[in-house]
Amino acid sequence: MGLEQIINDCKKNYPKAQEQLYELFAKKFFGVCLKYSCNYADAQDNLQDGFLIIFRKIDQFSGKGSFEGWAKRIMINNALQKFKGIRYMEVINENIPDDEVEIDDENVPIEYLMKIIQELPDQYRLVFSLYVLDGYSHKEIAEMLKITTGTTKSNLSRARLILKEKIEAYTKIEIKSLAK
């Protein structure tokens, strides 16, 4: 059965079609949820909540554009809802370094990168994920999180700095272990 048929059957609330849609996208969307969640359990909750929203709003999908893109946006917005209205999203000092922090992550396992991204403070992780991993602009991020573009730029810079420090520490440990 093709995706279009599965979507049409989901619009009719057929449980088998909903199960098929879940199986088609769960792994990919779980990766999306991990980027915007504090931990694995939160990501699982966000995935389940996101699919419930998708099933509830699937009638709104008109067939124009990609279903995956439409559903991914629901997953991201659902995860971001957990942070709406939280005051710590604002930073007091918006001094942004003139030069962008370069991160050399070529020899770092993806599992470690995802782990350290999840360890970032919420405001840094959200901005980093939206900007670097999903390609949103600072203006779009500011609108989504209801913060200023200066704050998004500052949070991104700080996230990159933290990640750079952790990657450099990881690399030093790896070099030492190889030297033994």
Side-chain angles (χ1 to χ4, degrees), residues 161-172:
L161 194 59
I162 291 168
L163 293 173
K164 180 180 181 183
E165 290 170 0
K166 288 185 176 197
I167 289 169
E168 286 173 352
Y170 175 86
T171 305
K172 286 178 186 174

Side-chain angles (χ1 to χ4, degrees), residues 21-178:
L21 190 72
Y22 182 89
E23 288 174 9
L24 269 174
F25 292 103
K27 285 182 183 177
K28 187 175 283 189
F29 289 161
F30 184 68
V32 171
C33 292
L34 272 174
K35 292 187 290 189
Y36 298 100
S37 303
C38 298
N39 55 52
Y40 196 86
D42 285 349
Q44 288 176 316
D45 289 345
N46 286 333
L47 179 70
Q48 297 306 317
D49 292 345
F51 268 105
L52 291 174
I53 295 167
I54 288 168
F55 295 142
R56 194 171 57 245
K57 293 186 173 191
I58 201 158
D59 281 333
Q60 295 175 13
F61 178 68
S62 65
K64 294 179 183 170
S66 145
F67 174 80
E68 184 176 332
W70 177 82
K72 179 180 175 185
R73 183 126 183 139
I74 288 175
M75 288 290 173
I76 292 171
N77 287 337
N78 174 60
L80 293 178
Q81 284 298 319
K82 312 284 191 279
F83 300 98
K84 293 273 183 192
I86 298 175
R87 295 297 305 152
Y88 68 81
M89 289 300 294
E90 290 286 343
V91 293
I92 294 169
N93 181 356
E94 288 190 357
N95 293 335
I96 303 161
D98 291 334
D99 52 335
E100 194 171 289
V101 176
E102 291 293 323
I103 301 174
D104 180 18
D105 62 354
E106 285 184 25
N107 299 317
V108 179
I110 190 72
E111 296 82 14
Y112 181 73
L113 288 174
M114 286 306 294
K115 177 184 178 295
I116 63 175
I117 290 170
Q118 280 188 305
E119 291 172 352
L120 288 169
D122 291 338
Q123 69 273 26
Y124 299 165
R125 185 184 68 256
L126 293 175
V127 172
F128 180 86
S129 295
L130 287 165
Y131 187 84
V132 175
L133 304 177
D134 287 318
Y136 288 95
S137 70
H138 284 292
K139 183 180 180 206
E140 291 170 315
I141 296 167
E143 289 170 4
M144 291 168 88
L145 300 178
K146 302 207 180 338
I147 57 178
T148 67
T149 56
T151 299
T152 68
K153 291 175 182 178
S154 176
N155 286 347
L156 177 62
S157 179
R158 290 186 176 129
R160 284 182 166 153
L161 194 59
I162 291 168
L163 293 173
K164 180 180 181 183
E165 290 170 0
K166 288 185 176 197
I167 289 169
E168 286 173 352
Y170 175 86
T171 305
K172 286 178 186 174
I173 291 168
E174 286 298 303
I175 290 171
K176 284 181 184 178
S177 70
L178 290 174

